[in-house]
Amino acid sequence: QVQLVESGGGLVQAGGSLRLSCTASGLPFSLYAMGWFRQAPGKEREFVAAISWEGARTNAADSVKGRFTISRDNAENTVYLQMNSLKPEDTAVYYCAAERLGGGSPYPAGYGYWGQGTQVTVSS
């Protein structure tokens, strides 16, 4: 059974930092691209960042470029999202997702497995 478990969310003041983690089990992690998406209340789920299966390529939404960094540790079956200079508009539930042999797509449809999400709240 495939499981993706996010952690690291919480409440932070604007300008602060958080690091999200997503640990996978039940799949060959090194063969999967990993992505982070987020969904704010009343809004559609949107792409945040992704990393290709081999780790050579990363992709990030314009709204987070220069502030968020995605990385992976295949030995730990974990993908990270380092979030710096957080803004109130970053408030959302953050989800990680896995796509087999993916290149880091920004499109949710390609991801076959999803976590349950972790809440990030940025106060002004």
Side-chain angles (χ1 to χ4, degrees), residues 10-65:
L11 173 64
V12 64
Q13 288 188 333
S17 298
L18 283 174
R19 188 176 80 155
L20 304 184
S21 301
C22 170
T23 300
S25 60
L27 53 72
F29 183 77
S30 63
L31 296 183
Y32 279 76
M34 300 300 294
W36 286 97
F37 295 80
R38 67 187 181 186
Q39 188 166 18
K43 295 188 177 181
E44 294 187 353
R45 190 169 297 191
E46 67 173 359
F47 171 72
V48 177
I51 186 166
S52 62
W53 69 275
E54 81 279 28
R57 293 164 283 168
T58 61
N59 191 11
D62 288 343
S63 60
V64 307
K65 281 181 181 176

Side-chain angles (χ1 to χ4, degrees), residues 94-116:
Y94 283 70
Y95 300 89
C96 71
E99 180 187 28
R100 184 175 174 86
L101 296 176
S105 169
Y107 304 108
Y111 291 81
Y113 300 106
W114 291 80
Q116 293 300 304

Side-chain angles (χ1 to χ4, degrees), residues 61-122:
D62 288 343
S63 60
V64 307
K65 281 181 181 176
R67 300 189 298 123
F68 292 10
T69 302
I70 189 170
S71 61
R72 66 187 297 155
D73 183 342
N74 287 351
E76 297 294 330
N77 286 2
T78 299
V79 62
Y80 302 98
L81 184 69
Q82 178 66 45
M83 306 187 295
N84 298 328
S85 301
L86 282 160
K87 305 175 181 180
E89 51 264 44
D90 294 319
T91 295
V93 177
Y94 283 70
Y95 300 89
C96 71
E99 180 187 28
R100 184 175 174 86
L101 296 176
S105 169
Y107 304 108
Y111 291 81
Y113 300 106
W114 291 80
Q116 293 300 304
T118 185
Q119 176 71 47
V120 171
T121 302
V122 184

